[in-house]
Amino acid sequence: SQQGEEDPQALSIQEGENATMNCSYKTSINNLQWYRQNSGRGLVHLILIRSNEREKHSGRLRVTLDTSKKSSSLLITASRAADTASYFCATDKYGNKLVFGAGTILRVKS
Amino acid sequence: EPEVTQTPSHQVTQMGQEVILRCVPISNHLYFYWYRQILGQKVEFLVSFYNNEISEKSEIFDDQFSVERPDGSNFTLKIRSTKLEDSAMYFCASRGTRDYGYTFGSGTRLTVV
């Protein structure tokens, strides 16, 4: 299985602090993607990092990928209450499906 | 911004009945997918569809399930003879090429009673 697994399972921080979530996976991949899901809602694509990339930025998001350790991290800087959601990493091995991890529940307190 | 549209947002059905979940992918996308998420669990891959045929399916996607792209715009998931354990959120997704992220719909919450 190429499943991605996130840690921590849950994270609670104050508004303005940074949030870091980690993801590990088991097999080689084509790319790794991060998604956000607000409670009971759909999945929103945040960022994609290819297997030959090591770091990527998008606004307040920073993603790293270490293929030797089969791990990735998502950093959200200067968090806001609106960032409260579940965050999932998902791996794409052949470009034909995503395998999701269990997710990290992030709560940002104002 | 283009969206993937799913209907209905919530469907309640009796055990043993057939349901059809509908999706309208983004118009110029070529790859289509169904995923499901049982409450409190991971998002699970069901099936991928490209060039009018299934390109991959998971173990979950057994003979009870079928997909169809009947008219070039809609993409449907049919579940025959629903079971209680089919209760879940079903997500449709599409993408244009293999190098881009997926666009997911808002999901259909299926409740089998």
Side-chain angles (χ1 to χ4, degrees):
Chain A
S1 163
Q2 70 186 85
Q3 288 176 324
E5 300 294 343
E6 289 96 329
D7 79 88
Q9 291 184 330
L11 181 61
S12 183
I13 59 174
Q14 290 293 134
E15 205 165 28
E17 293 181 339
N18 296 340
T20 299
M21 288 159 270
N22 302 298
C23 168
S24 62
Y25 57 92
K26 297 180 181 177
T27 68
S28 61
I29 58 172
N30 177 276
N31 63 69
L32 184 144
Q33 304 176 32
W34 286 89
Y35 288 82
R36 184 185 74 220
Q37 183 180 38
N38 288 69
S39 180
R41 308 290 290 275
L43 294 154
V44 176
H45 177 253
L46 296 176
I47 197 164
L48 179 153
I49 186 164
R50 294 183 178 82
S51 59
N52 61 353
E53 297 176 313
R54 293 295 166 259
E55 187 170 312
K56 205 161 181 180
H57 297 254
S58 177
R60 294 185 294 115
L61 305 180
R62 173 179 169 249
V63 169
T64 62
L65 179 65
D66 186 335
T67 52
S68 66
K69 295 181 180 176
K70 293 186 170 57
S71 67
S72 172
S73 67
L74 172 67
L75 169 67
I76 304 174
T77 60
S79 62
R80 306 165 183 168
D83 295 328
T84 294
S86 293
Y87 291 82
F88 296 90
C89 73
T91 52
D92 192 343
K93 185 173 183 178
Y94 298 117
N96 61 349
K97 71 177 181 186
L98 289 176
V99 177
F100 284 84
T104 293
I105 300 171
L106 173 66
R107 182 182 169 211
V108 181
K109 295 177 283 188
S110 56
Chain B
E1 189 168 331
E3 290 184 340
V4 174
T5 305
Q6 288 187 246
T7 55
S9 58
H10 191 185
Q11 175 139 10
V12 181
T13 189
Q14 291 209 326
M15 194 167 52
Q17 295 296 304
E18 174 182 287
V19 295
I20 296 176
L21 309 183
R22 301 181 191 281
C23 169
V24 179
I26 293 172
S27 61
N28 61 351
H29 280 188
L30 302 175
Y31 299 86
F32 312 111
Y33 307 83
W34 284 101
Y35 289 80
R36 79 172 186 190
Q37 185 180 32
I38 295 171
L39 187 63
Q41 298 187 22
K42 292 182 182 183
V43 178
E44 301 173 291
F45 168 77
L46 292 178
V47 65
S48 58
F49 192 87
Y50 170 73
N51 200 24
N52 284 321
E53 60 183 24
I54 291 173
S55 46
E56 185 167 347
K57 59 184 180 179
S58 71
E59 291 176 353
I60 302 168
F61 195 89
D62 59 20
D63 292 343
Q64 183 194 8
F65 295 87
S66 63
V67 289
E68 198 176 36
R69 188 157 161 79
D71 56 13
S73 62
N74 291 285
F75 180 50
T76 62
L77 174 69
K78 182 188 290 186
I79 309 175
R80 287 180 281 276
S81 189
T82 49
K83 299 175 278 195
L84 294 176
E85 53 265 39
D86 294 327
S87 294
M89 183 77 92
Y90 288 82
F91 293 106
C92 173
S94 70
R95 62 175 173 171
T97 74
R98 288 186 171 187
D99 285 338
Y100 287 89
Y102 295 57
T103 302
F104 281 82
S106 297
T108 293
R109 182 170 297 283
L110 176 66
T111 303
V112 182
V113 297

